[in-house]
Amino acid sequence: MSTIGFIGLGQMGSPMALNLIKGGHSLRVFDINTSAVEALVEQGATAASSPADAALDAEFVVTMLPNGTLVKNVLFGESGIVESLDKNALLIDMSTIHPFETDALIKQMSDRGFSMMEAPVGRTSDHAVKGELLILAGGTKAQIERAQPLFDCMGSETVDAGGAGKGIRVKIINNYMSIALNALSAEAATLSEAIGLEFETALEVMSGTPAGKGHFTTTWPGKVLAGDLSPAFMVDLAHKDLGIALDLANQVNVPVPCGAASRELYSITRAAGRGRQDWTSVFEQLRVTSGLEAKIK
Ligand code: NAD
């Protein structure tokens, strides 16, 4: 069992810290919100007076904070973690922050001789309470192996994302897609209602199509990911159908910003001469437009 410094006892951090205590670990906790600290002390944690105090004699220090500036401050600011952190300890940042900030923090820590990895989490505070978070671990194999007993207290699944900085990258990409899809879903459901279609009918149909299942696992594997852009469904037709939906939305006064923006990508793809290719070629076109090397000749 380990001594762990834990900093950031919010909606996520508090239940995560509690699950570490339940797992038999000794916790030294710090948060600027003293009532959050007191609640954990009642559960068996020791109160720390600063990040440096929380890190004293700790084998692991976990940070679970709202943003990268705060993570930087608790590491290197006044009474920061590095003032007392043992060179053999492992710092694990579990916050969701900008990946380039993560890269910079890991480098600054490494330059000072400290070991740091990131392990942002997927799922929600309900899962944090149950110890069922998805841990997206970015670090060396040795760091992940060392932290695994802690991850097992806080989560039910750990993904080795493939190296330092990769955990936060997959976290941000996952959130990007699910957050944007939430807005697109709201557009589709609102448009359904505005044109008199029952939501249940839309739900039934879309549960079985790429609209509901997503493209990564349905249309992409046999086409653009396989290097085959022969049309199963043509870009020109997708562009036409999207245009009909946008016209309809306009006629019934439903704003559809996600749909309108996505039409631009189909237009760019057609303008590049891909109108008769498979609709999954929007991916290859966006890659090329972004300066990445073409994969499909
Ligand atoms: P929160 O706002 O509930 O908690 C943040 C905690 O950090 C607060 O208790 C606050 O007092 C403390 N804090 C702020 N500045 C501090 C400082 N300088 N020193 C010590 N403590 C300080 O946020 P949360 O929901 O627990 O989220 C934490 C992180 O987890 C975020 O990066 C968030 O994006 C990520 N996350 C949240 C969820 C979710 O469902 N809430 C899910 C996955 C990931």
Side-chain angles (χ1 to χ4, degrees), residues 87-256:
K87 290 275 158 81
N88 294 314
L90 175 60
L91 190 293
I92 310 169
D93 181 34
M94 302 190 75
S95 325
T96 302
I97 68 173
H98 193 300
F100 293 170
E101 287 178 317
T102 299
D103 294 348
L105 292 174
I106 289 176
K107 175 152 192 326
Q108 285 170 57
M109 288 291 278
S110 162
D111 287 348
R112 293 174 180 229
F114 294 112
S115 177
M116 174 177 173
M117 67 178 293
E118 91 275 14
V121 300
R123 304 179 183 150
T124 66
S125 55
D126 290 341
H127 296 92
V129 171
K130 291 185 201 143
E132 291 176 357
L133 291 170
L134 171 65
I135 314 276
L136 302 168
T140 63
K141 295 246 177 267
Q143 286 174 324
I144 296 173
E145 202 172 303
R146 188 174 168 199
Q148 195 63 55
L150 277 60
F151 296 157
D152 289 342
C153 294
M154 298 182 277
S156 54
E157 194 181 342
T158 301
V159 173
D160 177 348
K166 300 284 178 72
I168 193 64
R169 281 166 169 73
V170 72
K171 167 71 186 170
I172 295 298
I173 295 296
N174 176 69
N175 279 22
Y176 166 66
M177 197 159 167
S178 61
I179 290 166
L181 193 55
N182 190 26
L184 180 64
S185 304
E187 288 181 11
T190 305
L191 183 55
S192 298
E193 189 178 329
I195 62 172
L197 175 69
E198 278 71 34
F199 180 71
E200 289 66 30
T201 309
L203 190 62
E204 184 187 340
V205 170
M206 287 159 214
S207 298
T209 72
K213 294 177 158 205
H215 284 265
F216 282 3
T217 56
T218 58
T219 60
W220 283 27
K223 285 292 168 187
V224 69
L225 295 182
D228 176 7
L229 295 180
S230 63
F233 180 44
M234 265 194 292
V235 167
D236 279 343
L237 294 179
H239 181 265
K240 182 248 318 171
D241 292 358
L242 182 55
I244 293 172
L246 294 178
D247 282 349
L248 195 55
N250 189 36
Q251 283 157 351
V252 294
N253 298 319
V254 174
V256 281

Side-chain angles (χ1 to χ4, degrees), residues 7-14 30-33 36 51 64-67 70 73-74 94-97 121-125 133 171 175:
I7 296 158
L9 305 169
Q11 213 180 355
M12 298 295 286
S14 285
F30 177 72
D31 195 296
I32 49 172
N33 174 5
M64 192 54 174
L65 295 161
N67 62 55
L70 290 173
N73 285 346
V74 303
M94 302 190 75
S95 325
T96 302
I97 68 173
V121 300
R123 304 179 183 150
T124 66
S125 55
L133 291 170
K171 167 71 186 170
N175 279 22

